Amino acid sequence: MKGILAVVLAFLLIGCKSKQAVASASAKDTAEISKIINGHYANETNFKTLNIKANAKYEDPSQSHSLNADIRIKKNEIIWINIKILGFPIAKALITPAKVSYYEKINNTYFEGDFSMLSNWLGTDLDFQKVQNLLLGKSIDDLSKGNWISGINDKLFKLSQAQTTDISKEFYFEAANFLLKKETITQASQNRALEIQYPSYKEVERIFLPNEINIKAAQKDKISIAIEYKNTTFNENLNYSYAIPSDYKAIQID
């Protein structure tokens, strides 16, 4: 079950790669914190639905999977994923603001629960909005809240959280459109680390989407995930059908 779960979680959490790219700029002078935050949120993701055809690769110390999926997003309401290996459907997942659910066909099992499963897997608190933001290249956290310190690192604007807790957070932005290039979340006491990189972006129907997303997460194991979007379309009438077969067995995930 662990391998199938890893595949499902990979598609619950990340983005894309494409040949198109949006021009970026280097940060030269330290900017005001409000300028960085407002610039980042000025990149609106104004759509009703998003339909994605994707490929992905997942790796951890004991396994590697190449797969593809259909990902459908109804903004702020539904994230629906149909996962395939060699063209054969193996799992389906549904995320709403209320719960996380998935079932897989190899072992005939399913899971339904809250976001603690995803949060424990990546080592940071998650909810529907944060997962959706991750898919769209937005910062996981609401940057309008909290205390931040600004600087420049490797020609990128950097916002770091004032160190008041065991958790450390950093966000890096390019200078042209304040697009997110990298975010890191670490918790030293639990030996947890999460790094999400967005090397480039594309512009589709006046919306910036990540071209590439690379995730590295370390907790008990180290994992890496890379996804390629093969096709992306907006504002279609999409079907989000999801029904767990009656003979599938429920599982618990710590």
Side-chain angles (χ1 to χ4, degrees):
M1 190 280 297
K2 181 180 178 182
I4 297 301
L5 174 59
V7 169
V8 173
L9 294 179
F11 270 108
L12 295 183
L13 294 171
I14 50 176
C16 61
K17 181 180 179 181
S18 172
K19 295 180 181 179
Q20 299 173 323
V22 173
S24 61
S26 299
K28 297 179 180 179
D29 299 305
T30 301
E32 294 181 3
I33 293 172
S34 60
K35 182 179 179 181
I36 298 171
I37 294 173
N38 292 337
H40 178 59
Y41 287 126
N43 302 311
E44 292 291 342
T45 50
N46 186 22
F47 65 89
K48 293 182 179 178
T49 67
L50 174 57
N51 189 24
I52 303 163
K53 304 288 186 182
N55 293 341
K57 185 172 183 179
Y58 169 93
E59 291 186 64
D60 67 29
S62 62
Q63 60 189 321
S64 176
H65 296 284
S66 295
L67 47 135
N68 51 53
D70 300 321
I71 306 172
R72 300 173 185 174
I73 300 175
K74 187 175 183 181
K75 190 177 179 183
N76 299 329
E77 295 184 37
I78 297 171
I79 299 172
W80 177 99
I81 305 118
N82 185 31
I83 300 171
K84 306 171 185 176
I85 292 181
L86 299 176
F88 294 97
I90 62 163
K92 190 176 282 190
L94 185 72
I95 302 178
T96 69
K99 69 177 181 179
V100 175
S101 177
Y102 89 93
Y103 65 88
E104 54 89 9
K105 297 183 177 182
I106 294 179
N107 297 303
N108 293 348
T109 61
Y110 74 92
F111 168 85
E112 286 188 309
D114 58 24
F115 282 84
S116 60
M117 179 264 288
L118 292 181
S119 300
N120 291 338
W121 189 64
L122 278 191
T124 187
D125 289 337
L126 293 173
D127 56 26
F128 181 90
Q129 191 63 49
K130 290 182 178 182
V131 174
Q132 183 175 258
N133 284 351
L134 201 158
L135 285 161
L136 300 177
K138 295 292 187 180
S139 63
I140 288 181
D141 280 14
D142 182 351
L143 299 177
S144 66
K145 301 177 181 178
N147 297 317
W148 303 99
I149 301 169
S150 68
I152 294 178
N153 183 276
D154 196 21
K155 299 181 180 180
L156 298 173
F157 289 123
K158 173 185 174 181
L159 292 182
S160 55
Q161 192 175 46
Q163 194 66 37
T164 58
T165 68
D166 180 45
I167 299 174
S168 174
K169 299 180 181 181
E170 297 178 343
F171 300 86
Y172 299 79
F173 306 85
E174 57 81 45
N177 298 288
F178 298 97
L179 298 172
L180 182 65
K181 301 294 287 183
K182 183 173 74 171
E183 54 191 339
T184 64
I185 302 173
T186 59
Q187 187 177 15
S189 66
Q190 300 297 320
N191 198 27
R192 292 176 172 180
L194 172 65
E195 179 180 286
I196 306 166
Q197 293 190 4
Y198 300 88
S200 65
Y201 285 77
K202 62 182 176 181
E203 187 173 3
V204 182
E205 298 185 19
R206 292 180 292 182
I207 296 175
F208 292 113
L209 289 176
N211 273 327
E212 301 174 68
I213 299 181
N214 301 318
I215 287 188
K216 294 181 179 179
Q219 195 173 190
K220 294 179 180 179
D221 296 320
K222 293 183 178 180
I223 65 170
S224 64
I225 314 167
I227 290 183
E228 177 185 4
Y229 283 13
K230 304 300 293 183
N231 186 52
T232 304
T233 54
F234 290 97
N235 300 325
E236 299 174 311
N237 292 322
L238 301 176
N239 183 294
Y240 306 94
S241 61
Y242 183 87
I244 299 171
S246 59
D247 59 340
Y248 278 30
K249 180 180 178 181
I251 58 172
Q252 298 295 321
I253 301 174
D254 297 328

